[in-house]
Amino acid sequence: MTHDLAYDAVLCDLDNVVRFYDVTHLAALERAAGLPEGTTEDIAYAPEVDLPLLLGRITLEEWTGTVALALARRVGEAEALELGRALARAPFRADGTVVALLRRIRARVPLVLVTNATPRLAEDLAALGLTDLAHHVVSSADEGVAKPDPAIYRIAAARAGVPTDRCLFVDDSRENVDAAVALGMTGVHFREPADLHGPFGITPGPPRGLLRDGA
């Protein structure tokens, strides 16, 4: 590949990098039910509840039912189901600044979205207008393996057609970034769009989140 970058492909997370959820309505329901804000998410995203969904072993409806069942120990069944559905149906948006940066970099090297996602990912990307954002999409629900398992990183690198040590990996989770770095990838711990400027060659100097094995 002919370019002036230190890598030959970009592997990028989706949630909390490109896509962001609005849980305002859910928080209002939790307050009305007498629950601390974030209670529903704490239950829903516990590994034993969330991982079966992310691995494609259960449907979104089954996941919502599991969340509601756990919440029903604290509120009424009807309220519990409403909370579970509010989380499952929470609206989301794409960060326009990040999308623009990714479109710029995909013109130079292969771009692969690597995400722990539900079986609804294709529909979600269509709703965001991002079906053409990446050259490839690697979803945990399709592959049956989730970050930080090394297997999903290797799958993504193979889709990009480059060795793992020639990949730049972007994620908001430090654990996921560390797993990529352990495979020889260059890692960017994402917190804000400016973290992508240096790696993408937009501004000089190393970004705050740039990591390499042994750094």
Side-chain angles (χ1 to χ4, degrees):
M1 299 181 184
T2 304
H3 53 66
D4 57 356
L5 300 170
Y7 50 85
D8 294 324
V10 170
L11 315 182
C12 186
D13 182 30
L14 179 66
D15 289 324
N16 299 317
V17 177
V18 180
R19 174 172 64 173
F20 294 84
Y21 284 88
D22 181 357
V23 293
T24 303
H25 177 58
L26 173 62
L29 291 176
E30 288 176 329
R31 290 194 300 270
L35 294 174
E37 291 183 25
T39 298
T40 306
E41 290 176 281
D42 287 344
I43 291 171
Y45 298 138
E48 64 273 14
V49 176
D50 198 32
L51 194 56
L53 176 67
L54 298 181
L55 294 178
R57 296 172 182 169
I58 63 173
T59 66
L60 190 64
E61 290 73 22
E62 289 171 322
W63 175 73
T64 301
T66 301
V67 174
L69 184 63
L71 285 167
R73 303 186 186 110
R74 305 179 63 173
V75 298
E77 290 184 8
E79 287 176 305
L81 186 57
E82 185 178 20
L83 289 165
R85 286 174 174 169
L87 177 58
R89 299 171 182 174
F92 49 78
R93 63 173 180 82
D95 186 300
T97 300
V98 173
V99 169
L101 290 170
L102 291 175
R103 290 196 185 282
R104 288 178 65 173
I105 200 64
R106 70 153 283 161
R108 304 177 70 185
V109 297
L111 171 64
V112 183
L113 290 180
V114 189
T115 175
N116 289 351
T118 75
R120 196 177 61 183
L121 178 61
E123 291 88 341
D124 289 352
L125 290 176
L128 289 167
L130 297 180
T131 54
D132 65 341
L133 176 63
H135 294 96
H136 304 281
V137 176
V138 174
S139 166
S140 61
D142 292 335
E143 305 300 336
V145 63
K147 296 178 292 186
D149 189 311
I152 197 167
Y153 300 87
R154 294 190 178 101
I155 291 169
R159 297 280 169 81
V162 304
T164 55
D165 62 1
R166 293 298 300 170
C167 293
L168 180 82
F169 178 79
V170 180
D171 203 294
D172 68 300
S173 163
R174 172 69 71 173
E175 180 184 21
N176 291 344
V177 172
D178 288 346
V181 170
L183 291 174
M185 296 182 181
T186 298
V188 176
H189 183 208
F190 180 90
R191 288 150 294 181
E192 61 184 8
D195 291 329
L196 301 179
H197 290 176
F200 287 5
I202 294 171
T203 57
R208 295 178 307 172
L210 193 61
L211 300 172
R212 262 209 178 273
D213 195 13

